[in-house]
């Protein structure tokens, strides 16, 4: 729901430059949505960095945590979350980020993060494999009350690995890809949008957006 990917990739670029390496676009496009560890392994090996995978991951984590809480929300994200909340449509946060990263995000925007019914991250004890495996989405679906069937779930994703995870879980998935991603990386999504502002809930059997987003915001704030 936010643009933390941008912060990660800018941070990686800076680390690589320290060692005279170029974090090229082809590698970057392959790493959207993967875990921090998977990202670290790929970069150290692909660019032959003169540091260990562990050291790279620690440097990346230390740099990212300074900026991650202030990652901007994607356009239309807050409107969508508040709209679903007011209309009593259950939804969860599902991410390849660690629980620590999620807490940093939540501390910066507690009102937004409190809207989610629950949150499932890569470090969750019930998640054995992160995206692109379906585990993380199946775990999230099972935690709704009552449990949600995968076919009843609609996923919003911005990464190829996330789309693959949702599809393998048997869910429909709307992709809002980074503009730098090639079109080939979006072909498995149910629907591809340029922005969440273009999403029409009624196409998926959900209540349509109202013309008064401020009213929706006031209603969700009362329900904290």
């Amino acid at each position: 729901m936010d643009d933390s990917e941008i912060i990660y990739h800018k941070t990686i670029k800076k680390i690589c430059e320290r060692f005279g390496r170029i974090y090229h676009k082809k590698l970057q496009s392959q790493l959207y949505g993967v875990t921090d560890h998977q990202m670290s392994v790929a970069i150290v090996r692909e660019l032959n960095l003169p540091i260990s995978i562990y050291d790279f991951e620690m440097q990346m984590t230390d740099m990212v945590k300074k900026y991650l809480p202030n990652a901007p929300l994607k356009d239309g994200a807050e409107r969508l979350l508040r709209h679903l909340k007011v209309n009593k449509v259950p939804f969860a946060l599902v991410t390849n980020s660690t629980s620590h990263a999620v807490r940093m995000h939540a501390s910066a925007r507690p009102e937004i993060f409190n809207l989610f019914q629950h949150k499932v991250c890569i470090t969750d004890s019930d998640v054995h494999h992160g995206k692109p495996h379906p585990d993380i989405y199946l775990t999230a679906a099972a935690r709704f009350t009552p449990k949600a069937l995968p076919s009843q779930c609609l996923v919003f994703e911005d990464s190829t690995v996330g789309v693959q995870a949702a599809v393998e879980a048997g869910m429909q998935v709307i992709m809002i890809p980074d503009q730098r991603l090639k079109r080939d990386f979006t072909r498995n999504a149910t629907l591809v949008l340029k922005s969440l502002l273009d999403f029409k809930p009624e196409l998926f059997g959900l209540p349509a957006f109202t013309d008064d987003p401020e009213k929706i915001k006031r209603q969700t704030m009362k329900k904290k």
Side-chain angles (χ1 to χ4, degrees), residues 17 25 46 57 123-124 182 219:
E17 287 175 347
K25 291 183 179 180
E46 176 73 18
E57 188 168 354
T123 48
D124 193 291
K182 293 181 179 179
Q219 289 177 311

Side-chain angles (χ1 to χ4, degrees), residues 1 37 41 51 62 87-88 125-126 153 196 222:
M1 285 296 174
H37 184 68
V41 170
I51 56 174
D62 287 343
N87 287 283
K88 298 181 180 180
S125 60
D126 290 331
C153 297
L196 284 171
K222 290 178 182 179

Side-chain angles (χ1 to χ4, degrees), residues 17 29 32 34 62-63 67 85 89 91 120 134-135 163 171 173 219:
E17 287 175 347
S29 66
Y32 273 94
V34 303
D62 287 343
M63 291 178 68
Y67 308 107
K85 189 72 172 182
V89 178
F91 57 96
V120 182
D135 307 32
V163 170
M171 302 175 179
V173 53
Q219 289 177 311

Side-chain angles (χ1 to χ4, degrees), residues 19 23 29 31 34 36 52 77 85-87 98 114 122 153 159 180 190 199 201 205 208 220:
F19 300 101
Y23 181 43
S29 66
L31 299 178
V34 303
D36 289 3
S52 69
K85 189 72 172 182
V86 164
N87 287 283
T98 64
N114 286 338
I122 189 62
C153 297
S159 71
R180 290 163 290 190
T190 308
F199 175 57
T220 55

Side-chain angles (χ1 to χ4, degrees), residues 130-200:
K131 305 171 188 178
H133 300 279
D135 307 32
I136 199 165
Y137 276 119
L138 294 174
T139 297
R143 289 185 181 174
F144 285 112
T145 304
K147 293 181 179 180
L149 295 174
S151 59
Q152 297 174 317
C153 297
L154 178 62
V155 173
F156 293 86
E157 267 291 350
D158 60 3
S159 71
T160 307
V161 294
V163 170
Q164 183 178 338
V167 170
E168 291 192 10
M171 302 175 179
Q172 294 189 81
V173 53
I174 294 175
M175 188 179 192
I176 304 90
D178 185 282
Q179 293 181 353
R180 290 163 290 190
L181 279 182
K182 293 181 179 179
R183 192 69 181 178
D184 288 348
F185 289 94
T186 69
R187 63 179 179 272
N188 293 324
T190 308
L191 179 66
V192 179
L193 301 175
K194 289 183 178 180
S195 167
L196 284 171
L197 293 172
D198 298 326
F199 175 57
K200 297 185 183 300

Side-chain angles (χ1 to χ4, degrees), residues 4-6 8 12 22 50 62 74 77 81 99 105 121 124 134 136-137 181 186 200 206:
S4 58
E5 287 280 358
I6 294 175
Y8 267 94
I12 293 168
I22 297 176
D62 287 343
K74 289 186 180 295
L81 295 177
S99 57
H105 280 284
C121 57
D124 193 291
I136 199 165
Y137 276 119
L181 279 182
T186 69
K200 297 185 183 300
L206 298 170

